[in-house]
Amino acid sequence: MKRLVQKTYATLIAAIVTFPAIAAPPFKAMAEHLPWRAEEIFTPADSLLLRELNEMPLSMKIGQMLIADSPGGFETDNTPQQEKLESLVRSGTIGGVMFLKGGMFKTAMLANHLQSIAPKPLLLSADMENGAAMRLEGATEFPPAMAIAATQRPRLAAAMGAAIAAEAKAVGIRQNYAPVGDLNSNPMNPVINTRSFGDRPETAVRMTGAYIEGLQRGGLIATIKHFPGHGDVHVDSHLALPVLSAPKEHLQQYELEPFRAAIGQGVMSVMVGHLAVPAITGTMTPATLSPEIITGLLRQELGFKGLIITDALNMKALYNGSNIPGISVRAVLAGNDLLLFSPDPALTHRSLLEAVKSGLITEERINQSVLRIMQAKRWLKLQQSRMVNLNHVPALSSPHSHRALASELSRRSITIAKESGSIPLQLSSPAPVLHLILSDSGIAHPAEAFSQEIDRHWHATHVQCNPKTNPATYRQAEALADSAAAIIISSTLGRLPGPGSRHLTQSQQKFISQLAEKHQATKPLVFIALGTPYILNIFPEINNSICTFSTGEESQRNAVGVLLGKQKAEGKLPIALNITNNPQEPSGHGQDNSR
């Protein structure tokens, strides 16, 4: 049975990999009648759905619109948190659950338990941008979106979507809060960064379109986020309200393009971000609470027919600790169908119920959203199969085909950002190699796999360079650099330093710049960006650099393979960097290497 289940999902992935439309943009030209497209699902309601809707009590209708959070694991000894969640489910106060952290098997157990006590099938979801492993131990971890874009292969993005769908469905999850459609045009963006497919609309359109098809063809609801675009901001919406300050013409031609294309592709769900867009609203109202953005722009102008979901209501861009009733009511009035992660779902439910009874929200407005939710659940066939087969979970938890796909994505994403003769490394001296580990924290081994792989091939000395590094260590590193056969600098920063975050010190930046100035003309010196590629903007004087877009162990090992010359760097930068002599800049728009 295990082999049969694995073979079934391998066949599904193979079908998506070979589907010809993936490599033939634009997606608007795809076949019209595909059962996973929003236009086929959110059609005028039939009599059966209308009858079910009309028989549903108002309290339960409102509950269908609320998605609560839960750890992803069943506990035999009920915790207060699990008892509270069970009470919300049993009473119909919520209609869905978003899983946070847990394990594959325990999540499947919890999913079945919650479904068994729910009066209506639950819509179970999770944020799985680069795989269910983001949330669930035992699932397959894929590289982040920017690495996927660097491969230039939409077929691999589609296959990844299919793999994620298979693993998510195995544990009962039926909606993924991905892909990210934000164009990361601001290198200092504190929250999006490598979660984005890049800063070029044509790349984001191809990759999000392929990812969406992989997910939805695989039976999972895709959710493109964060509408209308979170890429050109300076503030993390988890902490405060960001402002997208571009003029409306720019928004139409740039930020909105991936979302417009995804709607044409047939994406079933759009997540609205907590950010102010004054060019559209004329105010600092968050997009999540704005009728002009949700109803006016997304529904009417762009013609989106599917589910609209808020970003998490507990984020500080929206939630101030005491305004749950206000933001809940305003979110519904703005046009959202699903309200995600309220700090107090029961209070949100009561507030909406009171708003309808007082006439502030009409029941017809509630019915519009609930009908779409019912249509989505019917497409998922939750009424017939709300439970999962626990016997299948081990076989579908990161099968070999998924791990092989993740490995291929990692290998094909490695990108030479800048090169002037030091890649691959060719040592003319038996002296040790100096490896400087540049990080923004005091973690003992932030690049452990990279360091271990270096040690397998060269005699090397590894020196930490973090904000706590003292002058004596810098002096030691200077002496080692003078006698080293080569210098390798690795960075594990996930994003560029910014306000409110850990940051590189002036000492770190000065030391690396001086090393490059002193040594790169006489010995190989290579910078490896294990994480955000934007770190290279801080050191434009460095002449040889490699990007992995990920701190994953596989990416770390692949970077060493490129340094050795045993592996070709196939990736192309999906973003603009403020460096020169970039041999990997794509030579034209719409390039599609879909082998």
Side-chain angles (χ1 to χ4, degrees), residues 58-60 62-69 81 83-96 313 319 323-326 328-329 339-355:
L58 175 61
S59 176
M60 186 168 290
I62 291 172
Q64 290 295 293
M65 300 175 65
L66 307 185
I67 308 291
D69 66 295
Q81 185 178 11
E83 289 179 354
K84 182 178 179 180
L85 180 64
E86 289 176 356
S87 176
L88 292 170
V89 170
R90 280 195 179 94
S91 63
T93 302
I94 60 173
L313 295 184
Y319 176 53
N323 61 347
I324 293 173
S328 300
V329 170
L339 277 59
L340 178 65
F341 206 162
S342 168
D344 188 337
L347 178 55
T348 288
H349 186 275
R350 290 196 303 273
S351 302
L352 293 175
L353 188 60
E354 290 170 6

Side-chain angles (χ1 to χ4, degrees), residues 128-134 139-151 156-157 159-161 163-164 178-180 193-197 207 211 402-414 531 547-556 558:
M128 303 174 289
E129 292 171 19
N130 47 306
M134 281 184 63
T140 306
E141 181 179 0
F142 292 96
M146 198 170 285
I148 308 306
T151 71
L156 295 181
M160 183 178 80
I164 293 170
V180 170
N193 213 283
T194 57
R195 297 167 63 195
S196 167
F197 286 102
M207 292 298 176
Y211 188 147
H402 296 182
R403 296 195 304 273
L405 174 61
S407 178
E408 181 179 5
L409 283 162
S410 173
R411 175 172 52 82
R412 291 188 184 275
S413 69
I414 308 301
C547 298
T548 68
F549 312 97
S550 169
T551 56
E553 291 186 3
E554 187 109 20
S555 295
Q556 294 186 36
N558 283 327

Side-chain angles (χ1 to χ4, degrees), residues 81-207:
Q81 185 178 11
Q82 186 164 305
E83 289 179 354
K84 182 178 179 180
L85 180 64
E86 289 176 356
S87 176
L88 292 170
V89 170
R90 280 195 179 94
S91 63
T93 302
I94 60 173
V97 175
M98 177 185 74
F99 291 121
L100 299 176
K101 287 287 187 179
M104 288 286 283
F105 195 82
K106 278 195 169 185
T107 296
M109 290 179 62
L110 179 58
N112 277 356
H113 173 63
L114 295 176
Q115 292 284 24
S116 72
I117 63 175
K120 297 281 186 183
L122 295 168
L123 179 57
L124 303 180
S125 57
D127 182 354
M128 303 174 289
E129 292 171 19
N130 47 306
M134 281 184 63
R135 303 298 168 200
L136 307 180
E137 185 179 349
T140 306
E141 181 179 0
F142 292 96
M146 198 170 285
I148 308 306
T151 71
Q152 307 175 91
R153 287 168 168 80
R155 71 165 180 88
L156 295 181
M160 183 178 80
I164 293 170
E167 295 187 16
K169 286 172 61 180
V171 299
I173 295 173
R174 303 307 299 271
Q175 182 171 8
N176 185 7
Y177 299 136
V180 170
D182 308 317
L183 296 168
N184 200 82
S185 57
N186 177 15
M188 300 299 291
N189 192 311
V191 65
I192 302 300
N193 213 283
T194 57
R195 297 167 63 195
S196 167
F197 286 102
D199 59 15
R200 301 183 180 102
E202 61 272 18
T203 300
V205 166
R206 288 200 310 274
M207 292 298 176

Side-chain angles (χ1 to χ4, degrees), residues 356 361-369:
V356 175
I361 300 175
T362 66
E363 188 164 356
E364 175 56 30
R365 166 66 196 90
I366 299 295
N367 287 345
Q368 291 169 359
S369 289

Side-chain angles (χ1 to χ4, degrees), residues 220-238:
L220 204 71
I221 296 174
T223 307
I224 192 164
K225 63 186 183 185
H226 308 79
F227 187 83
H230 211 302
D232 191 16
V233 300
H234 296 79
V235 174
D236 183 348
S237 52
H238 293 86

Side-chain angles (χ1 to χ4, degrees), residues 7 10 45 68 95 139 179 215 242 250 253 258 330 347 410 413 496 504 509 523 530 534 592:
K7 183 177 179 181
L215 289 174
H250 181 79
Q253 297 170 12
R330 291 178 66 191
L347 178 55
S410 173
S413 69
L496 272 195
L504 295 181
Q509 295 182 44
K523 64 182 64 177
L530 299 169
Y534 295 111
D592 182 12

